[in-house]
């Protein structure tokens, strides 16, 4: 349940940025997985693909960085590092 909530929150943030930037789709999502977030990159990818279905992030490439620092202040978190978006201007005619 915790993992699903983390990823749903991430997708919501991505969709908000897309709306703010008038993006057609998300090309790439870069995330950082804290050492205590209880998700491997594979597990995160599975959750991401499920939650992104039907959104502008559905076909996005994932770039995942993992941490092994259990003392990091955000060790339990999944952090959105960056997004690459395709806007209407870039999508072509």
């Amino acid at each position: 349940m915790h993992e699903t909530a983390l990823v749903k929150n991430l997708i919501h943030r991505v969709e908000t940025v897309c709306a703010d930037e008038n993006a057609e789709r998300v090309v790439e999502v870069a995330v950082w997985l804290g050492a205590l977030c209880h998700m491997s990159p594979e597990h995160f990818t599975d959750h991401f693909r499920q939650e992104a279905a039907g959104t502008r992030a559905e076909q996005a490439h994932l770039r995942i960085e993992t941490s092994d620092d259990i003392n990091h202040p955000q060790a339990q978190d999944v952090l959105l590092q960056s997004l690459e978006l395709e806007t209407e201007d870039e999508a072509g005619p």
Side-chain angles (χ1 to χ4, degrees):
M1 265 313 215
H2 176 68
E3 294 93 350
T4 300
L6 287 173
V7 177
K8 278 186 179 188
N9 182 46
L10 177 79
I11 295 295
H12 177 74
R13 291 193 331 249
V14 168
E15 283 289 294
T16 298
V17 171
C18 284
D20 291 347
E21 298 294 325
N22 294 317
E24 295 291 312
R25 71 182 189 94
V26 180
V27 176
E28 182 178 85
V29 177
V31 296
W32 178 88
L33 303 180
L36 301 175
C37 80
H38 304 294
M39 278 195 279
S40 67
E42 296 80 15
H43 191 188
F44 175 83
T45 299
D46 290 344
H47 277 279
F48 183 89
R49 294 291 171 222
Q50 182 177 5
E51 296 303 323
T55 73
R56 289 175 272 203
E58 185 170 26
Q59 298 298 318
H61 170 75
L62 286 174
R63 190 164 38 94
I64 302 170
E65 179 183 344
T66 60
S67 172
D68 59 1
D69 182 359
I70 63 170
N71 296 311
H72 189 284
Q74 294 173 308
Q76 295 183 22
D77 298 329
V78 173
L79 302 178
L80 177 61
Q81 292 184 308
S82 67
L83 292 173
E84 182 181 340
L85 306 176
E86 182 177 280
T87 62
E88 188 174 304
D89 294 340
E90 297 167 334

